[in-house]
Amino acid sequence: MAEHPHAAVVRKGYEAFSRGDMDALRGLMTADAAHHVPGSHPLAGDFKGQNAIIEMYGKLFEETGGTMQVDLRNIFVDGRGHAVSVHHFTADRKGRHLDEMGGIVFRIVGDKVSDLDECVADIDTSNEFWS
């Protein structure tokens, strides 16, 4: 059975993110896409537009000295423009190690991502790591 087109878009996004291919990520997002990062740490918030999102991704790589790894575990789709990913995330920063599960709720319009709502398994641990 072929992968649903929305699942394919999400998978391509994870692959591009893991490679650090920001041009490929831009091509998968609408110009006005928004990425919502939970928490109360300096990298939390609403990032609106491709440039703001890509800049935030760059900060993630920079802050973790390139140690950040995201392992996509599963993608679920509803066939109506929503996809949910589940991933395992690890990173090192300032002598701390983060090892947790998380996910993203995607809104897909046509064949592009317009909205990403990120979720983490333990928001307190995430806040501590990124603060």
Side-chain angles (χ1 to χ4, degrees), residues 49-84:
Q50 290 179 354
N51 290 339
I53 295 169
I54 297 300
E55 183 178 309
M56 184 265 293
Y57 292 166
K59 287 180 184 175
L60 294 175
F61 285 105
E62 181 182 317
E63 287 288 323
T64 62
T67 64
M68 182 177 57
Q69 298 288 317
V70 180
D71 177 31
L72 178 61
R73 298 289 174 90
N74 216 330
I75 305 169
F76 305 99
V77 299
D78 70 354
R80 296 178 295 113
H82 300 96
V84 177

Side-chain angles (χ1 to χ4, degrees), residues 5-6 8-14 16-17 20-37 46-58 60-61 104-118:
H6 295 160
V9 168
V10 170
R11 186 174 311 284
K12 287 176 187 174
Y14 271 87
F17 183 85
D21 187 346
M22 299 300 123
D23 289 334
L25 282 171
R26 280 181 196 280
L28 296 171
M29 291 186 279
T30 62
D32 63 346
H35 188 139
H36 312 281
V37 179
D46 298 319
F47 299 88
K48 298 178 183 177
Q50 290 179 354
N51 290 339
I53 295 169
I54 297 300
E55 183 178 309
M56 184 265 293
Y57 292 166
L60 294 175
F61 285 105
I104 301 175
V105 179
F106 294 85
R107 175 74 175 125
I108 301 167
V109 177
D111 61 351
K112 299 208 184 256
V113 173
S114 66
D115 201 71
L116 302 91
D117 279 302
E118 191 173 332

